[in-house]
Amino acid sequence: MMKKVTHAVFLLMAASIAMSSSSGALARENTLEKIKVEQMTPEINNLVEKGVKKAASLIPYLKDYPVREVVVKDTPYLLVNNYKSKENNAEFVTLVLDKNTGDLLEFGKHELYNQKSQTLYPIDKSKEIAVSFMTKLYGEDMAGYQFDGDGVAKVFDGQTNTIQFVRMVNGVPFTDDIVQIQVDHEGEITGKSLGMNIEKISFANLDQILSKEKAVKQLSTYMKLRYSLDKDGKTYKLLYVPAFSGKLDAVSGKDSLNMPYHSKVNVKPKGASQPVAQSREEAQAYLTQRTGYDFAKGNVFFEDLTGETPVIIQYFWKTRKWEGRTNYSWRTDDGWIGSMLIEPKTGSIVSYHVIDTSVSKTATKKLTQEQALQLAIN
């Protein structure tokens, strides 16, 4: 039994898990972190034997992978890689075991890529196979897991069905605690993966929550009238829009994030009209005035990227509102530091974004939400 995985095998394993397991939080955590190898102990060896024995009772093809390799790290998990042979390390089964109990948490079968198109196994039969596996692993109650919706996750690789289960707590789905079972085109289970790394949580009692009627009434207080431009760019609609985060606290009835900028702020601007920049020099001067960062000095490169996707202004990149507008960008050897969109006919500054690389990333002073809101209003 080897004590650690070679770097090449480790990278291969990371790539394989990423392809075969969409949500395997524990597997990703173990493959992507830096390895800290420890000495194998009799206690760890016993846990590995226990975990492998349990896995063998659930995974018939594990017997075809007799060469075992254990990765021991300073984490709550153990990785056990099972290969077909010492010479063949491209095909293997990875087991993720609880470091305290040896329980099987996740596993994945990794084979050489098969370019032949395969017909997906029937969904209903895939569900039956997944339920049977969950029952054998967790018991008849499946540890409180049930099908998540119709039980079919929106994750496919062309050869496997992913059947998803969600944990039920007091009859309510806990959508961060999920189990995904992968079933291949032959009806064989090729993987089990978990959602987030869930620690012990104390859940609120359902008798503490608002009734659905009260929640609906509270929700109506967040609905605000808005004018909205239709897709044709010419027609306006008058809509009721929820002016909050989209999640209502079931106990207090308040916005679950309770952020002040979710409410509408009425501001009557005073002073100059819409700022303009008729040239690169005026654009740089405006940015310097607003931010104190001189874009005309130092090792700063200017580029006119009109017609191309903005580098920094994500909102306009997503909505394509940058099309037809002058697009200026500034960068240094370390990366992009500024971006500005301008209406070409009027010179009006539509949007700008600045990243000041001279500011410490570990600043001790942080603005409160209320201070940030006031700055934005000012």
Side-chain angles (χ1 to χ4, degrees):
M1 183 184 300
M2 293 176 280
K3 293 182 180 179
K4 64 179 181 179
V5 183
T6 64
H7 185 63
V9 173
F10 194 78
L11 292 179
L12 173 65
M13 180 179 62
S16 300
I17 290 178
M19 289 188 294
S20 65
S21 174
S22 63
S23 67
L26 306 186
R28 286 200 303 272
E29 179 178 325
N30 278 275
T31 55
L32 299 181
E33 289 181 356
K34 184 178 179 181
I35 300 177
K36 182 178 180 181
V37 179
E38 301 171 341
Q39 285 294 108
M40 286 289 293
T41 65
E43 291 77 15
I44 291 178
N45 189 61
N46 289 336
L47 290 174
V48 170
E49 293 296 334
K50 174 185 175 182
V52 171
K53 183 178 180 180
K54 177 66 175 179
S57 68
L58 299 166
I59 311 170
Y61 53 79
L62 190 60
K63 66 179 183 300
D64 300 327
Y65 298 79
V67 180
R68 188 186 307 169
E69 191 171 54
V70 180
V71 178
V72 184
K73 295 170 52 186
D74 189 16
T75 69
Y77 314 110
L78 296 168
L79 280 182
V80 182
N81 299 318
N82 303 269
Y83 301 97
K84 284 194 171 182
S85 66
K86 291 182 179 181
E87 295 74 25
N88 182 2
N89 57 18
E91 297 182 79
F92 57 98
V93 177
T94 298
L95 309 178
V96 181
L97 308 179
D98 187 297
K99 199 172 186 179
N100 294 318
T101 64
D103 291 339
L104 177 64
L105 301 175
E106 294 184 345
F107 74 91
K109 181 182 181 183
H110 313 284
E111 297 179 309
L112 295 176
Y113 182 66
N114 185 356
Q115 294 184 344
K116 295 181 180 179
S117 60
Q118 304 284 0
T119 302
L120 288 172
Y121 204 67
I123 289 292
D124 288 343
K125 291 185 178 180
S126 296
K127 288 183 179 181
E128 293 177 5
I129 292 171
V131 169
S132 175
F133 178 87
M134 291 285 287
T135 301
K136 292 177 182 177
L137 180 60
Y138 292 117
E140 290 297 326
D141 65 345
M142 297 194 303
Y145 289 98
Q146 295 182 8
F147 281 130
D148 186 4
D150 60 6
V152 182
K154 306 301 181 183
V155 182
F156 300 96
D157 62 5
Q159 297 188 28
T160 59
N161 286 324
T162 298
I163 310 302
Q164 182 161 301
F165 299 83
V166 62
R167 180 183 167 197
M168 304 295 291
V169 180
N170 299 324
V172 178
F174 181 26
T175 54
D176 291 317
D177 191 349
I178 62 173
V179 173
Q180 291 185 335
I181 305 297
Q182 286 81 39
V183 182
D184 71 4
H185 63 280
E186 295 180 340
E188 188 172 71
I189 293 180
T190 57
K192 169 185 182 279
S193 56
L194 304 177
M196 296 177 63
N197 183 9
I198 305 297
E199 302 293 341
K200 292 183 178 179
I201 298 175
S202 178
F203 291 91
N205 295 324
L206 295 186
D207 57 10
Q208 298 174 348
I209 69 172
L210 297 173
S211 66
K212 191 171 183 179
E213 291 73 21
K214 289 184 178 180
V216 170
K217 184 177 180 180
Q218 180 66 19
L219 186 63
S220 66
T221 64
Y222 288 102
M223 304 301 290
K224 306 294 182 182
L225 277 172
R226 297 286 189 272
Y227 284 109
S228 178
L229 185 64
D230 207 353
K231 292 182 178 180
D232 59 12
K234 301 177 181 179
T235 308
Y236 284 90
K237 290 182 179 180
L238 189 59
L239 305 173
Y240 276 109
V241 178
F244 78 121
S245 69
K247 295 181 180 180
L248 198 69
D249 189 294
V251 177
S252 67
K254 297 180 180 180
D255 187 338
S256 63
L257 297 184
N258 193 29
M259 292 186 176
Y261 55 77
H262 289 145
S263 59
K264 184 178 179 181
V265 179
N266 293 311
V267 180
K268 295 182 179 179
K270 297 179 181 180
S273 58
Q274 175 76 15
V276 297
Q278 300 286 0
S279 65
R280 161 194 171 181
E281 290 74 20
E282 290 184 12
Q284 290 179 167
Y286 179 82
L287 290 180
T288 299
Q289 179 187 11
R290 299 300 297 174
T291 66
Y293 188 80
D294 192 346
F295 283 74
K297 292 183 179 180
N299 189 23
V300 179
F301 304 94
F302 167 79
E303 291 186 287
D304 186 342
L305 299 179
T306 300
E308 299 182 33
T309 305
V311 178
I312 298 178
I313 308 175
Q314 295 297 323
Y315 170 74
F316 287 92
W317 177 83
K318 292 178 180 179
T319 61
R320 305 186 70 85
K321 291 183 180 179
W322 50 273
E323 292 182 338
R325 288 168 166 165
T326 302
N327 178 11
Y328 287 159
S329 291
W330 294 263
R331 63 180 174 86
T332 67
D333 291 334
D334 296 325
W336 299 98
I337 59 173
S339 186
M340 179 182 286
L341 292 178
I342 303 171
E343 282 289 357
K345 292 182 179 180
T346 64
S348 297
I349 297 174
V350 178
S351 180
Y352 72 88
H353 190 105
V354 174
I355 298 175
D356 189 348
T357 56
S358 65
V359 176
S360 171
K361 295 181 180 180
T362 58
T364 55
K365 182 180 179 181
K366 294 184 179 180
L367 294 177
T368 64
Q369 293 176 352
E370 291 74 16
Q371 290 172 325
L373 177 62
Q374 192 58 50
L375 280 172
I377 292 174
N378 293 341

